[in-house]
């Protein structure tokens, strides 16, 4: 059997648990606010109104036996139909605003993107995915091990349909933006792999999952093990043993749908999605292959950052190869000194995700330009 080293193992287990501020990282429970809040916004978008009143309307819709709760941001009064964008959150228990139960405090990435979109005259829908916020686990509460990828596909499709059906949303100008793991679900919707969906005019893939899911788990777990070895918490032999255990666990899960029992070094912490079934099913999709299936000429905004510790620009290049090969109209933004949740933080540390750091003005400008060119 695999040798076990309790001191090193305990330490790695703690680190891996911290790293789960998602393996993918956009990882606070939804403020279960009811009703509608009103915000003023100077719109630079299609309506060019100097002070449109925007509302955050609390909404819900059914998806595969689960009631999904979300926020529909739209103008209080709009003379014309306007564009709308669906926002899809990243991995772990990440809610409609981009906050996570695993990260105390406010991260706020999706709420910030919704704010930026309304400044550009674009309505948005963001929702608490299964396992987060007001939605919670619903019928899965008693058996989370049964959660695969289907409920997440169902909720993103139901959300897109809900947005498209709202009065004053121009059905010809609907976009989808996925952050991190959310980019996988955005790609599934836009590529037609999930079947027939409402028409999608433009796609945003923000710090996206860009390689197969279990390959990413292996990369991130390997980095964690290496950093422990560099800090002399692991001997070279322990590090090699942990790497070997990680590699064989990925192979076993990918081929059989099951993890080996008694994984050493707390490595099972890396696989703690809602369930290993989810990882097994999500891993079947290569984001670059999905990208090749997009309608030719579809406008796609993609970002990567020099300081993103969860998703590297090298991984995003793999996805971009698929986008280029499929004939997407690509807008590839290379951010500098920005972390995985779009905050300005050259350290890129997941420990800082909920710090009150400024969001990237470079990404905000890129988004405004993209919206003007593809949804106006």
């Amino acid at each position: 059997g695999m040798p076990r080293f309790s001191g090193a193992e305990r330490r790695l287990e703690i680190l891996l648990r911290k790293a789960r501020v998602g393996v993918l990282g956009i990882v606070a429970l939804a403020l279960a606010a009811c009703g509608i809040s009103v915000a003023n916004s100077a719109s630079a978008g299609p309506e060019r109104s100097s002070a449109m009143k925007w509302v955050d309307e609390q909404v819900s819709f059914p998806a595969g036996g689960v009631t999904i709760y979300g926020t529909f941001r739209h103008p209080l009064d709009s003379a014309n139909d306007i564009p709308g964008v669906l926002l899809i959150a990243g991995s772990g228990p990440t809610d409609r605003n981009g906050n996570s139960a695993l990260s105390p405090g406010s991260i706020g990435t999706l709420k910030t993107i919704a704010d930026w979109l309304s400044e550009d005259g674009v309505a948005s829908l963001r929702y608490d995915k299964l396992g987060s916020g007001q939605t919670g686990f619903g019928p899965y509460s008693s058996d989370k091990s049964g959660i695969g990828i289907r409920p997440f596909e169902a909720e993103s499709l139901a959300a897109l349909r809900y947005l498209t059906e709202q009065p004053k949303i121009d059905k010809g100008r609907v976009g989808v933006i996925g952050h991190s793991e959310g980019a996988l679900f955005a790609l599934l919707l836009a590529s037609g792999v999930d079947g027939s969906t409402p028409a999608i005019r433009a796609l945003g893939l923000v710090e996206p999952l860009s390689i197969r899911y279990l390959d990413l788990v292996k990369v991130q777990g390997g980095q964690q093990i290496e950093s422990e070895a560099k800090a002399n918490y692991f001997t070279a032999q322990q590090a090699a043993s942990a790497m070997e255990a990680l590699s064989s666990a990925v192979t076993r899960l990918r081929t059989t749908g099951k993890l080996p029992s008694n994984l050493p070094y707390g490595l099972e912490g890396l696989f703690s999605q809602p369930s290993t079934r989810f990882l097994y099913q999500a891993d079947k999709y290569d984001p670059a292959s999905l990208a090749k299936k997009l309608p030719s000429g579809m406008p796609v905004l993609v970002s990567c950052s020099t300081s993103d510790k969860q998703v590297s620009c090298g991984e995003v290049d793999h996805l971009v190869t698929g986008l280029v090969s499929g004939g997407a109209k690509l807008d590839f933004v290379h951010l500098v000194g920005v972390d995985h949740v779009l905050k300005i933080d050259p350290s890129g540390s997941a420990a800082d995700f909920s710090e009150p750091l400024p969001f990237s003005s470079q990404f905000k400008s890129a988004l405004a330009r993209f919206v003007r060119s593809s949804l106006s």
Side-chain angles (χ1 to χ4, degrees), residues 95-174:
D95 71 13
R96 70 186 83 179
N97 292 328
N99 297 331
S100 170
L102 300 177
S103 185
S106 173
I107 299 172
T109 306
L110 266 65
K111 182 185 180 300
T112 299
I113 292 175
D115 292 345
W116 292 343
L117 287 169
S118 53
E119 285 177 29
D120 291 319
V122 178
S124 61
L125 174 64
R126 58 194 200 267
Y127 61 90
D128 292 339
K129 61 184 220 177
L130 182 67
S132 80
Q134 202 178 345
T135 300
F137 282 100
Y140 294 95
S141 295
S142 59
D143 182 19
K144 299 184 182 69
S145 68
I147 301 174
I149 197 173
R150 304 290 166 251
F152 299 97
E153 292 177 284
E155 68 189 9
S156 61
L157 177 55
L160 181 62
R161 287 184 173 145
Y162 183 90
L163 173 64
T164 307
E165 287 158 9
Q166 297 314 297
K168 296 296 183 185
I169 294 296
D170 181 346
K171 290 179 169 55
R173 290 186 292 161
V174 170

Side-chain angles (χ1 to χ4, degrees), residues 17-27 102-103 107 310 350 353:
R17 204 176 299 129
K18 283 182 183 164
R20 279 299 314 159
V21 173
V23 159
L24 251 197
I26 156 150
V27 289
L102 300 177
S103 185
I107 299 172
Q310 276 68 33
F353 285 174

Side-chain angles (χ1 to χ4, degrees), residues 46-323:
E47 294 238 337
R48 305 274 186 259
S49 149
S50 59
M52 283 169 73
K53 281 198 185 312
W54 290 76
V55 298
D56 267 345
E57 183 182 350
Q58 307 305 302
V59 300
S60 66
F61 48 89
V66 182
T67 301
I68 307 295
Y69 294 88
T71 299
F72 176 41
R73 164 80 61 86
H74 59 96
L76 193 57
D77 193 20
S78 167
N80 305 314
D81 287 358
I82 65 167
V85 165
L86 172 64
L87 301 174
I88 307 178
S91 71
T94 307
D95 71 13
R96 70 186 83 179
N97 292 328
N99 297 331
S100 170
L102 300 177
S103 185
S106 173
I107 299 172
T109 306
L110 266 65
K111 182 185 180 300
T112 299
I113 292 175
D115 292 345
W116 292 343
L117 287 169
S118 53
E119 285 177 29
D120 291 319
V122 178
S124 61
L125 174 64
R126 58 194 200 267
Y127 61 90
D128 292 339
K129 61 184 220 177
L130 182 67
S132 80
Q134 202 178 345
T135 300
F137 282 100
Y140 294 95
S141 295
S142 59
D143 182 19
K144 299 184 182 69
S145 68
I147 301 174
I149 197 173
R150 304 290 166 251
F152 299 97
E153 292 177 284
E155 68 189 9
S156 61
L157 177 55
L160 181 62
R161 287 184 173 145
Y162 183 90
L163 173 64
T164 307
E165 287 158 9
Q166 297 314 297
K168 296 296 183 185
I169 294 296
D170 181 346
K171 290 179 169 55
R173 290 186 292 161
V174 170
V176 179
I177 294 177
H179 175 248
S180 192
E181 176 193 284
L184 174 63
F185 295 99
L187 279 167
L188 285 167
L189 286 173
S191 63
V193 166
D194 269 351
S196 168
T197 64
I200 296 170
R201 171 91 164 260
L203 192 62
L205 307 172
V206 182
E207 306 303 296
L209 169 64
S210 298
I211 58 178
R212 287 177 67 182
Y213 220 135
L214 287 173
D215 289 339
L216 183 73
V217 170
K218 196 170 168 181
V219 166
Q220 293 191 348
Q223 287 168 345
Q224 203 64 52
I225 292 163
E226 277 173 15
S227 72
E228 289 302 277
K230 274 188 188 144
N232 293 322
Y233 289 108
F234 267 8
T235 64
Q237 184 194 355
Q238 288 167 343
S241 166
M243 289 284 203
E244 191 182 321
L246 174 58
S247 184
S248 68
V250 163
T251 303
R252 175 87 176 273
L253 181 53
R254 179 170 279 167
T255 52
T256 69
K258 303 238 180 320
L259 277 176
S261 52
N262 301 320
L263 269 175
Y265 308 108
L267 286 171
E268 64 273 6
L270 273 176
F271 300 90
S272 60
Q273 287 291 335
S275 74
T276 50
R277 186 179 180 199
F278 170 87
L279 275 178
Y280 170 67
Q281 292 176 348
D283 179 67
K284 300 291 182 199
Y285 296 116
D286 177 0
S289 301
L290 292 174
K292 287 181 192 172
K293 296 182 168 75
L294 294 176
S296 184
M298 176 178 274
V300 182
L301 174 68
V302 184
S303 76
C304 79
S305 172
T306 54
S307 297
D308 187 337
K309 293 278 179 61
Q310 276 68 33
V311 169
S312 72
C313 283
E315 288 162 7
V316 177
D317 286 341
H318 172 71
L319 169 60
V320 164
T321 304
L323 289 166

